[in-house]
Amino acid sequence: MSGGLLVAGTTSDAGKSVVTAGICRWLVRQGVKVAPFKAQNMSLNSFVTTEGAEIGRAQAMQAQACRIEPTALMNPVLLKPGGEQSSQVVLLGKPVGEMSARGYHGGRQQRLLGTVLDCLEQLRGTYDAVICEGAGSPAEINLRRTDIVNMGIARNAGLPVLVVGDIDRGGVFASFFGTVALLSPEDQACVAGFLVNKFRGDVSLLEPGLDMLHGLTGRRTYGVLPFRHGLGIDEEDGLRVSLRGAVRESVVAPPVGEDVLRVAVCAVPLMSNFTDVDALAAEPGVVVRFVDRPEELSDADLVIVPGTRGTVRALEWLRERGLADALVRRAAEQRPVLGICGGFQILGEHIEDDVESRRGHVDGLGILPVHVRFARDKTLTRPAGEALGEHVEGYEIHHGVADVQGGTPFLDGCRVGQTWGTHWHGSLESDGFRRAFLREVAAAAGRRFVPAPDTSFAALREEQLDRLGDLIEQHADTDALWRLIESGAPQGLPFIPPGAPA
């Protein structure tokens, strides 16, 4: 078998990432050597590969679905928003500068097409199949001229396109039809058909609409995936605790001890890698919520200040909302606080930033004895070490360089009283360390909470990926999907007017 497929969507968040992961897991269970690919990703949730390249976490998750190591080839262009008008451009895993949306779409994006196609070709030369994920909608006609992630990549690489629609939002038939009808004849020829996502109810009630859609477009529907809780793992952006749904909403796991443990995560602007809290939410008896008001910290047993792409901006936001004062009071009262990456920097004494915000000297919250200086080169590593008597692994993505001037060493950061700070993302995915940390938090908070002795975050993730594979295997026409991946879009698909505007 040798082939490929582009999974596009009628909208952002239609389910492209999870459908791509599900197809990957289904294929690898059939013995197919498969890899994921997304030409261009816009996300604040990223990951560091073993070679020190930064890519979107969704592609890292999809690589895990394929049971392979993620590489920079799988996500050659990553855009990390730094505000309303600009993003950091990460090319082949390394930052190459900041650029406005107008500047990027005005020429830079199209010049990256050769790089993107070369990465895809390398993957196709190594794997039996490459399952590609689009971005947003392929019918964004204002951006088609410079598109390198949807129909631009499909046309140039000869990929069939499967359009995913979220029926839970409503209007899925209009979205399917409109998506095709706004494409040029050449682009329409690549669109093989549709996949309905998040359907609730009796599929037989949907079938007349699917038949009419086929009659109107000449394109079939390759499957209707039922709504399932907790499948949004490693979201690109948004406020979602991915594994919490799988644990809380399927089988309710009671706490092992007498108490639950309440975790409040400060929803700072440009929050990055909020997936760090997924491992906490997977623990029976741990309740995680995102907060933006100081009174919401009062009953929390642990407060987390997460990573952010705008450390100084997040610090100002905490001060404006009164959360900064609440954090300082918490620390003084010896109530647990954890700062991760940008959150760690915020907890320090001062920040010298001539790179990210260009604000120069800025006073931090002064909770930890740390001075932070922003360097132009980004730190991208996969560290491992020991903390609280347990082995820990993580990954680092930051421009801030921390000069720790006191406290007790904690990973690469420090601890003072019940306040911890580290640049390490993903440390809480280390099961033994997570349990030891939660025991410390529970003791400091006076809670009779006991971590479950057998929670394996890696096993939960594998279960979730298998659930995605099951969805494809049980609710998609896998024979037709196989032919599509192997042979491309059917010949002679009709043109649906009006097509793209001239």
Side-chain angles (χ1 to χ4, degrees), residues 186-225:
E186 296 81 6
D187 285 352
Q188 286 193 24
C190 297
V191 179
F194 313 106
L195 186 76
V196 177
N197 191 29
K198 297 184 183 178
F199 179 71
R200 305 172 190 252
D202 185 345
V203 176
S204 66
L205 299 176
L206 191 65
E207 288 171 351
L210 300 178
D211 291 340
M212 282 189 276
L213 183 67
H214 184 263
L216 288 166
T217 67
R219 290 158 175 85
R220 58 166 301 171
T221 297
Y222 283 77
V224 177
L225 307 185

Side-chain angles (χ1 to χ4, degrees), residues 340-381:
I340 302 174
C341 199
F344 167 40
Q345 297 165 8
I346 285 168
L347 298 178
E349 294 176 352
H350 68 77
I351 299 166
E352 293 289 341
D353 182 10
D354 295 319
V355 176
E356 193 175 77
S357 69
R358 297 181 176 87
R359 294 283 297 278
H361 181 95
V362 177
D363 289 333
L365 298 187
I367 299 172
L368 294 177
V370 176
H371 299 170
V372 176
R373 175 185 56 82
F374 272 68
R376 297 202 174 275
D377 292 335
K378 182 183 283 191
T379 298
L380 296 168
T381 63

Side-chain angles (χ1 to χ4, degrees), residues 18 45 57 61 228-236 238-250 274-282 288 290 429 457 460-461 464 467:
V18 293
N45 283 335
R57 274 198 67 100
M61 174 268 292
R228 292 286 186 268
H229 288 294
L231 293 181
I233 57 178
D234 288 4
E235 299 286 349
E236 291 187 349
L239 291 181
R240 298 192 176 190
V241 184
S242 59
L243 278 173
R244 185 177 181 182
V247 175
R248 304 271 177 241
E249 297 177 26
S250 52
F274 57 82
T275 48
D276 283 333
V277 302
D278 286 359
L280 293 179
V288 178
F290 291 90
E429 296 179 19
F457 184 79
L460 284 171
R461 171 149 296 185
Q464 213 168 22
R467 290 175 67 202

Side-chain angles (χ1 to χ4, degrees), residues 1-6 124 128-132 158-160 484-486 488:
M1 179 182 183
S2 178
L5 173 70
L6 176 71
R124 296 182 82 175
D128 299 328
V130 178
I131 307 303
C132 307
L159 295 171
L484 186 62
I485 294 169
E486 193 171 33

Side-chain angles (χ1 to χ4, degrees), residues 105-121:
H105 290 287
R108 179 64 183 268
Q109 184 181 34
Q110 184 65 20
R111 291 197 296 272
L112 293 174
L113 179 61
T115 300
V116 162
L117 289 171
D118 181 62
C119 291
L120 177 57
E121 189 60 30

